[in-house]
Amino acid sequence: MFDTVPDMACKRAELSGDATAFVDQATGRRWSFAEVNRAADAVAAALAERGIGEGDRIAIACLDCAEFFITLFACQKAGVILCPLNWRQPAPELVATMKPVEPCLLIHDAANDDLAERIAVETKIGRVDIETGLHAWIARGGPPRRAPVPAERPWYLLFTSGTTGRPKAVIQTARMCWANTVNIGQAIGLTSADSAVTFLPLFHTAGINLYTLPVFLNGGRSTILPKFEPETLLELIRAGEVTQFFAVPAIYQAFSLMDAVDKVDWRALRCGCGGAPLPESLIRFFADRGAMVLNGFGMTETGPTVFLMDAARAADKIGSVGRAQMLTELRLAGVEADAPGEGEIELRGPGITPGYFRNPEATAETFAEGGWLRTGDVGRRDAEGYVYIVDRIKDMYISGGENVYPAEVERVLNDHPEILEAAVIGITDEKWGEVGAAFVIPRPGATPDPQKVRQWCRARLAGYKVPARVIAVDDFPRTAAGKTRKPELRETLT
């Protein structure tokens, strides 16, 4: 695609220096593009003073704030690799996660001071707090940096959500960032007039890339909330401070249960969703209020945008994630090019990661010949080229010799009037080999009867797909992306 790109913060400051890049909701501070660039220059200079340079890694643990992105741009300028940490994890887990990447410094906010102290004691690395240390660096300033950025140089690492095991460090590059900006930008019509809100955690690709970095690169404005606060977020939307909105299904679910949801003019908002499938009931809930929420699909390894449903066909292709976006090649394993069919989704293009940091074995396992990324997801393409995500290959189970994809069963359960959300896993059975176990979160005030839930499923599914067990729970263990941690659900049955 290209070998180098301009320094992102520097170039954006040249184009629209006085315009507002970030609004920090917690402090009220507004950062112009020029201020962001100068601050990033200052942080890059401070890192250099500490002897931290190209190829070195630094970790960061903080709630959402403009200083995260300033540090991210500083790392791009200096060639340093940033490693955002999941501050929800306990220190021993984070120490184990950090060990393979060997960061030499930890930047953190006041909210994570105790966590940072425990990590620093265990790892013997230095730490700098944002509120005093980083701000002192910014106040001192630094020489302007304008050098081109190698497009494939590792910029930051994101640790996979770890639903199946220990997280791997996925390399993110400037090329991936620009590919994502093109893919999502043309799909949603992103311009400098748009405003977004940052509230998803910044140790996850959606927090950084949907839509904060694309909005920044297009010259738009992002309001940053420290974390998800439904009332504050909904009020921002109601006040017209957001034109482009992206969330995971759990956020839309939370909105749907709030009285204030009907005080919002949803027609003024362009809405996207990813991280997990959005149930049809929620799609119709927001469509009735004037917002067609567009389902998408992507991965940490893909930058993340690969698919996003187009608004023109969303109403008549509910459940589809659309077609592969502008800078992404798609093939379905075992299916002829462009033909309808079902197979593992494989992807190629400038938005795909070069691999896992210091993990050549995992990289080799993930990529097929020719640079195709094996996603581990089964997709179905219809005659018009629209793709539907069938399920994760690893989640499929075999009952009586028949393949069962839990996502199909979950869609049926999610339509049940007394069920808010469902998760299905395969469990061992002496007669059938495996059968389904359905965990369900009841709607407020409801108490679903397991036998009646099974009858509901039997009227809509083949018998071997009907879950043998239905278990009501208050909530599911989840990743930062809102995905259900099914191994942890399985552990509750053993």
Side-chain angles (χ1 to χ4, degrees), residues 253 276-284 295 297 317-321 342 377-380 387-392 404-425 438-440 443 453 456-457 460-461 465 467 476 486:
Q253 188 80 268
L278 186 68
E280 181 175 348
S281 58
L282 279 178
I283 293 175
R284 296 198 182 281
N295 260 320
F297 172 87
K317 288 190 178 289
I318 286 180
S320 174
V321 294
E342 187 175 294
D377 290 278
V378 176
R380 175 174 60 83
V387 173
Y388 299 75
I389 306 302
V390 177
D391 211 341
R392 292 289 294 170
V404 181
Y405 289 104
E408 179 186 6
V409 184
E410 289 162 1
R411 283 192 289 270
V412 170
L413 288 165
N414 286 335
D415 284 339
H416 191 284
E418 293 185 335
I419 293 175
L420 190 62
E421 190 176 353
V424 175
I425 61 172
F439 293 81
V440 300
R443 288 192 173 276
V453 169
W456 168 275
C457 292
R460 293 160 177 81
L461 294 167
K465 298 179 182 179
F476 302 144
K486 290 189 174 181

Short mmCIF file of all heavy atoms in Angstrom, two decimals, residues 253 276-284 295 297 317-321 342 377-380 387-392 404-425 438-440 443 453 456-457 460-461 465 467 476 486:
data_model
loop_
_atom_site.label_atom_id
_atom_site.label_comp_id
_atom_site.label_asym_id
_atom_site.label_seq_id
_atom_site.Cartn_x
_atom_site.Cartn_y
_atom_site.Cartn_z
N GLN A 253 -27.90 -2.78 24.63
CA GLN A 253 -28.81 -3.47 25.55
C GLN A 253 -29.09 -2.59 26.77
O GLN A 253 -30.24 -2.43 27.20
CB GLN A 253 -28.16 -4.78 26.00
CG GLN A 253 -29.06 -5.69 26.79
CD GLN A 253 -30.00 -6.47 25.90
OE1 GLN A 253 -31.13 -6.02 25.65
NE2 GLN A 253 -29.58 -7.62 25.43
N ALA A 276 -19.58 -8.42 18.99
CA ALA A 276 -20.42 -9.60 19.14
C ALA A 276 -21.68 -9.32 18.31
O ALA A 276 -21.97 -8.16 17.98
CB ALA A 276 -20.77 -9.83 20.61
N PRO A 277 -22.44 -10.36 17.96
CA PRO A 277 -23.64 -10.14 17.15
C PRO A 277 -24.69 -9.32 17.90
O PRO A 277 -24.91 -9.52 19.10
CB PRO A 277 -24.15 -11.57 16.89
CG PRO A 277 -22.99 -12.46 17.14
CD PRO A 277 -22.18 -11.80 18.20
N LEU A 278 -25.32 -8.39 17.20
CA LEU A 278 -26.41 -7.61 17.79
C LEU A 278 -27.72 -8.35 17.53
O LEU A 278 -28.07 -8.61 16.38
CB LEU A 278 -26.47 -6.22 17.16
CG LEU A 278 -27.47 -5.24 17.78
CD1 LEU A 278 -27.04 -4.88 19.19
CD2 LEU A 278 -27.60 -3.98 16.93
N PRO A 279 -28.44 -8.74 18.58
CA PRO A 279 -29.69 -9.49 18.39
C PRO A 279 -30.69 -8.71 17.55
O PRO A 279 -30.77 -7.47 17.61
CB PRO A 279 -30.21 -9.69 19.81
CG PRO A 279 -29.00 -9.56 20.69
CD PRO A 279 -28.12 -8.56 20.00
N GLU A 280 -31.49 -9.44 16.79
CA GLU A 280 -32.49 -8.82 15.93
C GLU A 280 -33.46 -7.97 16.73
O GLU A 280 -33.91 -6.91 16.27
CB GLU A 280 -33.25 -9.89 15.15
CG GLU A 280 -34.30 -9.31 14.21
CD GLU A 280 -34.97 -10.38 13.36
OE1 GLU A 280 -34.48 -11.52 13.32
OE2 GLU A 280 -36.01 -10.05 12.74
N SER A 281 -33.78 -8.41 17.95
CA SER A 281 -34.72 -7.65 18.77
C SER A 281 -34.20 -6.24 19.05
O SER A 281 -34.96 -5.26 19.07
CB SER A 281 -35.00 -8.38 20.08
OG SER A 281 -33.79 -8.60 20.80
N LEU A 282 -32.88 -6.12 19.26
CA LEU A 282 -32.30 -4.80 19.51
C LEU A 282 -32.22 -3.98 18.23
O LEU A 282 -32.41 -2.75 18.25
CB LEU A 282 -30.91 -4.94 20.13
CG LEU A 282 -30.85 -5.20 21.63
CD1 LEU A 282 -29.42 -5.36 22.09
CD2 LEU A 282 -31.52 -4.06 22.40
N ILE A 283 -31.91 -4.63 17.12
CA ILE A 283 -31.90 -3.91 15.84
C ILE A 283 -33.26 -3.28 15.59
O ILE A 283 -33.37 -2.10 15.23
CB ILE A 283 -31.53 -4.87 14.69
CG1 ILE A 283 -30.08 -5.35 14.83
CG2 ILE A 283 -31.70 -4.17 13.34
CD1 ILE A 283 -29.67 -6.38 13.81
N ARG A 284 -34.32 -4.05 15.83
CA ARG A 284 -35.68 -3.54 15.58
C ARG A 284 -36.07 -2.49 16.63
O ARG A 284 -36.79 -1.54 16.33
CB ARG A 284 -36.67 -4.70 15.55
CG ARG A 284 -36.40 -5.67 14.40
CD ARG A 284 -37.58 -6.55 14.10
NE ARG A 284 -37.28 -7.50 13.03
CZ ARG A 284 -37.27 -7.18 11.73
NH1 ARG A 284 -37.53 -5.95 11.35
NH2 ARG A 284 -36.99 -8.09 10.81
N ASN A 295 -24.56 -3.60 11.74
CA ASN A 295 -23.69 -4.64 12.27
C ASN A 295 -22.38 -4.68 11.50
O ASN A 295 -22.35 -4.54 10.27
CB ASN A 295 -24.37 -6.01 12.15
CG ASN A 295 -25.00 -6.46 13.44
OD1 ASN A 295 -24.43 -6.28 14.51
ND2 ASN A 295 -26.16 -7.07 13.34
N PHE A 297 -18.08 -6.46 11.56
CA PHE A 297 -17.23 -7.55 12.03
C PHE A 297 -15.77 -7.17 11.82
O PHE A 297 -15.40 -6.62 10.79
CB PHE A 297 -17.53 -8.84 11.27
CG PHE A 297 -16.55 -9.96 11.56
CD1 PHE A 297 -16.77 -10.82 12.63
CD2 PHE A 297 -15.44 -10.16 10.77
CE1 PHE A 297 -15.86 -11.85 12.91
CE2 PHE A 297 -14.54 -11.17 11.03
CZ PHE A 297 -14.75 -12.03 12.10
N LYS A 317 -31.72 -7.19 5.27
CA LYS A 317 -30.70 -8.23 5.48
C LYS A 317 -30.25 -8.20 6.94
O LYS A 317 -29.05 -8.15 7.25
CB LYS A 317 -29.53 -8.02 4.52
CG LYS A 317 -29.87 -8.37 3.07
CD LYS A 317 -28.65 -8.40 2.19
CE LYS A 317 -29.00 -8.79 0.75
NZ LYS A 317 -29.37 -10.22 0.63
N ILE A 318 -31.22 -8.24 7.82
CA ILE A 318 -30.92 -8.23 9.25
C ILE A 318 -30.09 -9.47 9.59
O ILE A 318 -30.41 -10.59 9.19
CB ILE A 318 -32.21 -8.18 10.07
CG1 ILE A 318 -32.80 -6.76 10.00
CG2 ILE A 318 -31.95 -8.56 11.53
CD1 ILE A 318 -34.07 -6.58 10.77
N GLY A 319 -29.03 -9.24 10.33
CA GLY A 319 -28.13 -10.32 10.69
C GLY A 319 -26.85 -10.32 9.88
O GLY A 319 -25.86 -10.93 10.28
N SER A 320 -26.86 -9.63 8.73
CA SER A 320 -25.66 -9.59 7.91
C SER A 320 -24.69 -8.53 8.43
O SER A 320 -25.10 -7.51 8.97
CB SER A 320 -26.02 -9.28 6.46
OG SER A 320 -24.84 -9.10 5.67
N VAL A 321 -23.39 -8.79 8.22
CA VAL A 321 -22.36 -7.80 8.54
C VAL A 321 -21.91 -7.06 7.28
O VAL A 321 -20.93 -6.32 7.29
CB VAL A 321 -21.15 -8.44 9.24
CG1 VAL A 321 -21.55 -8.97 10.60
CG2 VAL A 321 -20.54 -9.55 8.38
N GLU A 342 -20.56 -21.40 2.38
CA GLU A 342 -20.20 -21.29 3.79
C GLU A 342 -18.82 -21.87 4.01
O GLU A 342 -18.50 -22.95 3.51
CB GLU A 342 -21.23 -22.04 4.64
CG GLU A 342 -21.09 -21.88 6.13
CD GLU A 342 -22.22 -22.55 6.90
OE1 GLU A 342 -23.38 -22.09 6.76
OE2 GLU A 342 -21.95 -23.53 7.62
N ASP A 377 -13.52 -17.96 12.20
CA ASP A 377 -14.96 -17.73 12.14
C ASP A 377 -15.53 -18.31 10.85
O ASP A 377 -14.94 -18.14 9.77
CB ASP A 377 -15.29 -16.24 12.19
CG ASP A 377 -15.00 -15.63 13.55
OD1 ASP A 377 -15.86 -15.76 14.43
OD2 ASP A 377 -13.92 -15.05 13.73
N VAL A 378 -16.67 -18.94 10.97
CA VAL A 378 -17.37 -19.44 9.78
C VAL A 378 -18.30 -18.35 9.27
O VAL A 378 -19.07 -17.77 10.04
CB VAL A 378 -18.18 -20.71 10.11
CG1 VAL A 378 -18.98 -21.17 8.89
CG2 VAL A 378 -17.25 -21.82 10.58
N GLY A 379 -18.22 -18.09 7.98
CA GLY A 379 -19.08 -17.10 7.37
C GLY A 379 -19.92 -17.72 6.26
O GLY A 379 -19.51 -18.70 5.63
N ARG A 380 -21.08 -17.14 6.03
CA ARG A 380 -21.94 -17.56 4.92
C ARG A 380 -22.17 -16.36 4.01
O ARG A 380 -22.55 -15.29 4.47
CB ARG A 380 -23.29 -18.07 5.45
CG ARG A 380 -24.30 -18.41 4.35
CD ARG A 380 -25.55 -19.04 4.93
NE ARG A 380 -26.24 -18.17 5.88
CZ ARG A 380 -27.09 -17.20 5.53
NH1 ARG A 380 -27.34 -16.95 4.25
NH2 ARG A 380 -27.69 -16.48 6.46
N VAL A 387 -22.40 -11.05 3.68
CA VAL A 387 -21.84 -12.08 4.56
C VAL A 387 -22.57 -12.09 5.89
O VAL A 387 -22.92 -11.04 6.45
CB VAL A 387 -20.33 -11.83 4.77
CG1 VAL A 387 -19.76 -12.78 5.81
CG2 VAL A 387 -19.59 -11.99 3.44
N TYR A 388 -22.78 -13.30 6.40
CA TYR A 388 -23.37 -13.53 7.72
C TYR A 388 -22.36 -14.34 8.52
O TYR A 388 -21.80 -15.32 8.01
CB TYR A 388 -24.69 -14.30 7.60
CG TYR A 388 -25.76 -13.58 6.82
CD1 TYR A 388 -25.70 -13.50 5.42
CD2 TYR A 388 -26.82 -12.97 7.46
CE1 TYR A 388 -26.68 -12.84 4.69
CE2 TYR A 388 -27.81 -12.30 6.73
CZ TYR A 388 -27.73 -12.25 5.35
OH TYR A 388 -28.71 -11.58 4.64
N ILE A 389 -22.13 -13.95 9.76
CA ILE A 389 -21.23 -14.71 10.62
C ILE A 389 -22.02 -15.87 11.23
O ILE A 389 -23.01 -15.65 11.94
CB ILE A 389 -20.64 -13.83 11.74
CG1 ILE A 389 -19.97 -12.58 11.14
CG2 ILE A 389 -19.65 -14.63 12.57
CD1 ILE A 389 -18.87 -12.87 10.14
N VAL A 390 -21.58 -17.07 10.93
CA VAL A 390 -22.28 -18.27 11.43
C VAL A 390 -21.89 -18.52 12.88
O VAL A 390 -22.74 -18.62 13.75
CB VAL A 390 -21.97 -19.48 10.54
CG1 VAL A 390 -22.64 -20.74 11.10
CG2 VAL A 390 -22.43 -19.22 9.11
N ASP A 391 -20.59 -18.64 13.14
CA ASP A 391 -20.12 -18.84 14.51
C ASP A 391 -18.61 -19.04 14.50
O ASP A 391 -17.99 -19.18 13.45
CB ASP A 391 -20.78 -20.05 15.16
CG ASP A 391 -20.93 -19.89 16.68
OD1 ASP A 391 -20.23 -19.05 17.27
OD2 ASP A 391 -21.77 -20.60 17.27
N ARG A 392 -18.04 -19.04 15.70
CA ARG A 392 -16.64 -19.43 15.85
C ARG A 392 -16.52 -20.93 15.62
O ARG A 392 -17.35 -21.72 16.11
CB ARG A 392 -16.15 -19.12 17.26
CG ARG A 392 -16.04 -17.65 17.60
CD ARG A 392 -14.91 -16.97 16.89
NE ARG A 392 -13.59 -17.46 17.31
CZ ARG A 392 -12.47 -17.14 16.68
NH1 ARG A 392 -12.50 -16.40 15.60
NH2 ARG A 392 -11.30 -17.60 17.11
N VAL A 404 -23.69 -28.35 15.37
CA VAL A 404 -24.54 -27.32 15.96
C VAL A 404 -23.70 -26.07 16.19
O VAL A 404 -22.67 -26.12 16.87
CB VAL A 404 -25.16 -27.77 17.30
CG1 VAL A 404 -26.06 -26.67 17.86
CG2 VAL A 404 -25.94 -29.07 17.13
N TYR A 405 -24.14 -24.95 15.62
CA TYR A 405 -23.49 -23.66 15.85
C TYR A 405 -24.28 -22.91 16.91
O TYR A 405 -25.44 -22.54 16.70
CB TYR A 405 -23.42 -22.85 14.56
CG TYR A 405 -22.44 -23.41 13.56
CD1 TYR A 405 -22.88 -24.12 12.44
CD2 TYR A 405 -21.07 -23.24 13.74
CE1 TYR A 405 -21.96 -24.63 11.52
CE2 TYR A 405 -20.16 -23.74 12.83
CZ TYR A 405 -20.61 -24.44 11.72
OH TYR A 405 -19.70 -24.94 10.82
N PRO A 406 -23.66 -22.68 18.09
CA PRO A 406 -24.38 -22.03 19.17
C PRO A 406 -25.02 -20.70 18.79
O PRO A 406 -26.08 -20.35 19.32
CB PRO A 406 -23.30 -21.84 20.24
CG PRO A 406 -22.35 -22.98 20.01
CD PRO A 406 -22.32 -23.13 18.51
N ALA A 407 -24.39 -19.95 17.89
CA ALA A 407 -24.94 -18.63 17.53
C ALA A 407 -26.34 -18.73 16.96
O ALA A 407 -27.18 -17.86 17.19
CB ALA A 407 -24.02 -17.93 16.53
N GLU A 408 -26.62 -19.81 16.22
CA GLU A 408 -27.97 -19.99 15.67
C GLU A 408 -28.98 -20.19 16.78
O GLU A 408 -30.08 -19.62 16.76
CB GLU A 408 -27.99 -21.18 14.71
CG GLU A 408 -29.35 -21.45 14.10
CD GLU A 408 -29.39 -22.71 13.25
OE1 GLU A 408 -28.38 -23.44 13.22
OE2 GLU A 408 -30.45 -22.97 12.64
N VAL A 409 -28.61 -21.00 17.77
CA VAL A 409 -29.50 -21.25 18.90
C VAL A 409 -29.67 -19.98 19.73
O VAL A 409 -30.77 -19.66 20.19
CB VAL A 409 -28.95 -22.40 19.76
CG1 VAL A 409 -29.93 -22.75 20.90
CG2 VAL A 409 -28.67 -23.64 18.91
N GLU A 410 -28.59 -19.24 19.90
CA GLU A 410 -28.64 -18.00 20.67
C GLU A 410 -29.58 -16.98 20.03
O GLU A 410 -30.31 -16.27 20.73
CB GLU A 410 -27.23 -17.42 20.82
CG GLU A 410 -26.35 -18.24 21.75
CD GLU A 410 -24.87 -17.96 21.59
OE1 GLU A 410 -24.50 -17.11 20.75
OE2 GLU A 410 -24.06 -18.62 22.28
N ARG A 411 -29.59 -16.92 18.71
CA ARG A 411 -30.50 -15.98 18.04
C ARG A 411 -31.96 -16.30 18.34
O ARG A 411 -32.78 -15.40 18.54
CB ARG A 411 -30.24 -16.00 16.53
CG ARG A 411 -28.99 -15.24 16.11
CD ARG A 411 -28.94 -15.03 14.61
NE ARG A 411 -28.67 -16.26 13.90
CZ ARG A 411 -27.44 -16.71 13.60
NH1 ARG A 411 -26.38 -16.04 13.99
NH2 ARG A 411 -27.29 -17.83 12.94
N VAL A 412 -32.28 -17.58 18.38
CA VAL A 412 -33.65 -18.00 18.70
C VAL A 412 -33.98 -17.65 20.15
O VAL A 412 -35.06 -17.12 20.45
CB VAL A 412 -33.83 -19.50 18.43
CG1 VAL A 412 -35.17 -20.00 18.99
CG2 VAL A 412 -33.76 -19.79 16.93
N LEU A 413 -33.06 -17.93 21.04
CA LEU A 413 -33.29 -17.64 22.46
C LEU A 413 -33.41 -16.13 22.71
O LEU A 413 -34.23 -15.69 23.52
CB LEU A 413 -32.15 -18.21 23.30
CG LEU A 413 -32.13 -19.73 23.44
CD1 LEU A 413 -30.78 -20.21 23.98
CD2 LEU A 413 -33.25 -20.21 24.35
N ASN A 414 -32.63 -15.35 21.99
CA ASN A 414 -32.68 -13.89 22.18
C ASN A 414 -34.00 -13.29 21.74
O ASN A 414 -34.34 -12.17 22.13
CB ASN A 414 -31.53 -13.23 21.42
CG ASN A 414 -30.19 -13.43 22.10
OD1 ASN A 414 -30.12 -13.64 23.30
ND2 ASN A 414 -29.12 -13.39 21.32
N ASP A 415 -34.75 -14.02 20.92
CA ASP A 415 -36.06 -13.55 20.50
C ASP A 415 -37.16 -13.91 21.50
O ASP A 415 -38.31 -13.45 21.36
CB ASP A 415 -36.42 -14.14 19.13
CG ASP A 415 -35.68 -13.45 17.99
OD1 ASP A 415 -35.23 -12.31 18.19
OD2 ASP A 415 -35.55 -14.07 16.91
N HIS A 416 -36.84 -14.71 22.49
CA HIS A 416 -37.82 -15.10 23.50
C HIS A 416 -38.21 -13.87 24.32
O HIS A 416 -37.34 -13.10 24.76
CB HIS A 416 -37.25 -16.18 24.41
CG HIS A 416 -38.25 -16.82 25.31
ND1 HIS A 416 -38.74 -16.19 26.45
CD2 HIS A 416 -38.88 -18.03 25.26
CE1 HIS A 416 -39.59 -16.98 27.05
NE2 HIS A 416 -39.70 -18.11 26.35
N PRO A 417 -39.48 -13.64 24.56
CA PRO A 417 -39.91 -12.41 25.24
C PRO A 417 -39.42 -12.25 26.66
O PRO A 417 -39.42 -11.13 27.19
CB PRO A 417 -41.45 -12.49 25.19
CG PRO A 417 -41.76 -13.94 24.96
CD PRO A 417 -40.63 -14.48 24.15
N GLU A 418 -39.00 -13.34 27.30
CA GLU A 418 -38.56 -13.23 28.69
C GLU A 418 -37.03 -13.28 28.82
O GLU A 418 -36.52 -13.24 29.93
CB GLU A 418 -39.18 -14.36 29.53
CG GLU A 418 -40.70 -14.24 29.67
CD GLU A 418 -41.27 -15.30 30.60
OE1 GLU A 418 -40.64 -16.36 30.73
OE2 GLU A 418 -42.32 -15.04 31.20
N ILE A 419 -36.32 -13.36 27.69
CA ILE A 419 -34.86 -13.51 27.73
C ILE A 419 -34.20 -12.26 27.17
O ILE A 419 -34.50 -11.81 26.07
CB ILE A 419 -34.42 -14.76 26.95
CG1 ILE A 419 -34.91 -16.02 27.67
CG2 ILE A 419 -32.90 -14.79 26.79
CD1 ILE A 419 -34.64 -17.31 26.93
N LEU A 420 -33.29 -11.70 27.96
CA LEU A 420 -32.54 -10.52 27.55
C LEU A 420 -31.35 -10.92 26.68
O LEU A 420 -31.07 -10.28 25.66
CB LEU A 420 -32.05 -9.76 28.78
CG LEU A 420 -31.47 -8.38 28.57
CD1 LEU A 420 -32.50 -7.43 27.99
CD2 LEU A 420 -30.92 -7.84 29.89
N GLU A 421 -30.65 -11.97 27.07
CA GLU A 421 -29.47 -12.41 26.33
C GLU A 421 -29.20 -13.87 26.64
O GLU A 421 -29.47 -14.35 27.75
CB GLU A 421 -28.26 -11.56 26.72
CG GLU A 421 -27.04 -11.76 25.85
CD GLU A 421 -25.90 -10.82 26.21
OE1 GLU A 421 -26.12 -9.92 27.05
OE2 GLU A 421 -24.80 -11.00 25.66
N ALA A 422 -28.64 -14.59 25.66
CA ALA A 422 -28.38 -16.01 25.82
C ALA A 422 -26.97 -16.36 25.36
O ALA A 422 -26.40 -15.70 24.48
CB ALA A 422 -29.39 -16.83 25.04
N ALA A 423 -26.41 -17.39 25.96
CA ALA A 423 -25.12 -17.94 25.54
C ALA A 423 -25.22 -19.46 25.61
O ALA A 423 -25.68 -20.02 26.62
CB ALA A 423 -24.00 -17.45 26.44
N VAL A 424 -24.83 -20.14 24.55
CA VAL A 424 -24.97 -21.59 24.45
C VAL A 424 -23.59 -22.22 24.29
O VAL A 424 -22.75 -21.73 23.53
CB VAL A 424 -25.86 -21.97 23.25
CG1 VAL A 424 -25.93 -23.49 23.07
CG2 VAL A 424 -27.27 -21.40 23.43
N ILE A 425 -23.37 -23.32 25.01
CA ILE A 425 -22.14 -24.08 24.89
C ILE A 425 -22.49 -25.55 24.71
O ILE A 425 -23.61 -25.99 25.03
CB ILE A 425 -21.23 -23.92 26.12
CG1 ILE A 425 -21.95 -24.43 27.39
CG2 ILE A 425 -20.81 -22.47 26.29
CD1 ILE A 425 -21.06 -24.48 28.63
N ALA A 438 -27.82 -23.91 27.63
CA ALA A 438 -28.12 -22.49 27.38
C ALA A 438 -28.13 -21.72 28.68
O ALA A 438 -28.91 -22.03 29.59
CB ALA A 438 -29.47 -22.36 26.68
N PHE A 439 -27.27 -20.73 28.77
CA PHE A 439 -27.28 -19.79 29.88
C PHE A 439 -28.08 -18.56 29.42
O PHE A 439 -27.83 -18.03 28.34
CB PHE A 439 -25.86 -19.38 30.26
CG PHE A 439 -25.04 -20.49 30.85
CD1 PHE A 439 -24.43 -21.42 30.02
CD2 PHE A 439 -24.90 -20.61 32.22
CE1 PHE A 439 -23.66 -22.45 30.55
CE2 PHE A 439 -24.14 -21.64 32.77
CZ PHE A 439 -23.52 -22.57 31.92
N VAL A 440 -29.04 -18.14 30.22
CA VAL A 440 -29.90 -17.04 29.81
C VAL A 440 -29.97 -15.98 30.91
O VAL A 440 -30.00 -16.30 32.10
CB VAL A 440 -31.33 -17.51 29.46
CG1 VAL A 440 -31.29 -18.52 28.30
CG2 VAL A 440 -32.04 -18.11 30.66
N ARG A 443 -35.08 -11.04 31.28
CA ARG A 443 -35.46 -9.63 31.24
C ARG A 443 -35.91 -9.20 32.63
O ARG A 443 -36.35 -10.04 33.43
CB ARG A 443 -36.58 -9.40 30.22
CG ARG A 443 -36.11 -9.51 28.78
CD ARG A 443 -37.15 -9.00 27.81
NE ARG A 443 -36.60 -8.96 26.46
CZ ARG A 443 -35.88 -7.96 25.98
NH1 ARG A 443 -35.66 -6.89 26.74
NH2 ARG A 443 -35.39 -7.98 24.76
N VAL A 453 -38.97 -22.68 27.66
CA VAL A 453 -37.93 -22.14 26.78
C VAL A 453 -37.50 -23.20 25.78
O VAL A 453 -37.31 -22.93 24.59
CB VAL A 453 -36.72 -21.65 27.61
CG1 VAL A 453 -35.53 -21.34 26.70
CG2 VAL A 453 -37.09 -20.42 28.43
N TRP A 456 -40.12 -23.44 23.15
CA TRP A 456 -39.95 -22.31 22.23
C TRP A 456 -38.90 -22.65 21.16
O TRP A 456 -39.10 -22.40 19.97
CB TRP A 456 -39.54 -21.08 23.04
CG TRP A 456 -39.06 -19.89 22.26
CD1 TRP A 456 -37.79 -19.67 21.81
CD2 TRP A 456 -39.83 -18.75 21.87
NE1 TRP A 456 -37.71 -18.47 21.16
CE2 TRP A 456 -38.94 -17.87 21.18
CE3 TRP A 456 -41.15 -18.36 22.04
CZ2 TRP A 456 -39.36 -16.65 20.66
CZ3 TRP A 456 -41.57 -17.14 21.53
CH2 TRP A 456 -40.68 -16.30 20.84
N CYS A 457 -37.78 -23.19 21.63
CA CYS A 457 -36.71 -23.55 20.71
C CYS A 457 -37.15 -24.68 19.77
O CYS A 457 -36.84 -24.65 18.56
CB CYS A 457 -35.47 -23.99 21.48
SG CYS A 457 -34.66 -22.65 22.39
N ARG A 460 -38.82 -23.82 16.66
CA ARG A 460 -38.07 -23.00 15.72
C ARG A 460 -36.77 -23.63 15.26
O ARG A 460 -36.10 -23.10 14.36
CB ARG A 460 -37.77 -21.63 16.37
CG ARG A 460 -39.01 -20.80 16.62
CD ARG A 460 -38.79 -19.72 17.65
NE ARG A 460 -40.00 -18.89 17.80
CZ ARG A 460 -41.05 -19.23 18.54
NH1 ARG A 460 -41.04 -20.39 19.23
NH2 ARG A 460 -42.11 -18.43 18.59
N LEU A 461 -36.38 -24.75 15.87
CA LEU A 461 -35.11 -25.39 15.56
C LEU A 461 -35.29 -26.90 15.42
O LEU A 461 -36.24 -27.48 15.98
CB LEU A 461 -34.09 -25.13 16.67
CG LEU A 461 -33.60 -23.70 16.90
CD1 LEU A 461 -32.84 -23.62 18.24
CD2 LEU A 461 -32.70 -23.25 15.76
N LYS A 465 -30.75 -29.40 17.90
CA LYS A 465 -30.23 -28.07 18.23
C LYS A 465 -30.83 -27.50 19.52
O LYS A 465 -30.32 -26.52 20.06
CB LYS A 465 -30.49 -27.10 17.08
CG LYS A 465 -29.82 -27.47 15.77
CD LYS A 465 -30.16 -26.46 14.68
CE LYS A 465 -29.53 -26.85 13.35
NZ LYS A 465 -29.88 -25.90 12.27
N PRO A 467 -31.37 -26.86 23.21
CA PRO A 467 -30.51 -27.09 24.37
C PRO A 467 -31.15 -28.03 25.37
O PRO A 467 -32.35 -27.95 25.66
CB PRO A 467 -30.32 -25.69 24.97
CG PRO A 467 -31.42 -24.85 24.40
CD PRO A 467 -31.76 -25.44 23.07
N PHE A 476 -23.14 -12.61 32.35
CA PHE A 476 -22.10 -13.48 31.83
C PHE A 476 -20.72 -12.90 32.14
O PHE A 476 -20.56 -11.67 32.18
CB PHE A 476 -22.21 -13.63 30.30
CG PHE A 476 -23.54 -14.16 29.82
CD1 PHE A 476 -24.08 -13.70 28.64
CD2 PHE A 476 -24.22 -15.13 30.53
CE1 PHE A 476 -25.29 -14.18 28.17
CE2 PHE A 476 -25.44 -15.62 30.08
CZ PHE A 476 -25.98 -15.14 28.89
N LYS A 486 -17.03 -17.97 27.25
CA LYS A 486 -17.71 -19.27 27.36
C LYS A 486 -16.95 -20.31 28.17
O LYS A 486 -17.59 -21.12 28.86
CB LYS A 486 -18.06 -19.78 25.97
CG LYS A 486 -19.17 -18.94 25.31
CD LYS A 486 -19.68 -19.56 24.03
CE LYS A 486 -20.88 -18.75 23.49
NZ LYS A 486 -21.43 -19.35 22.25
#
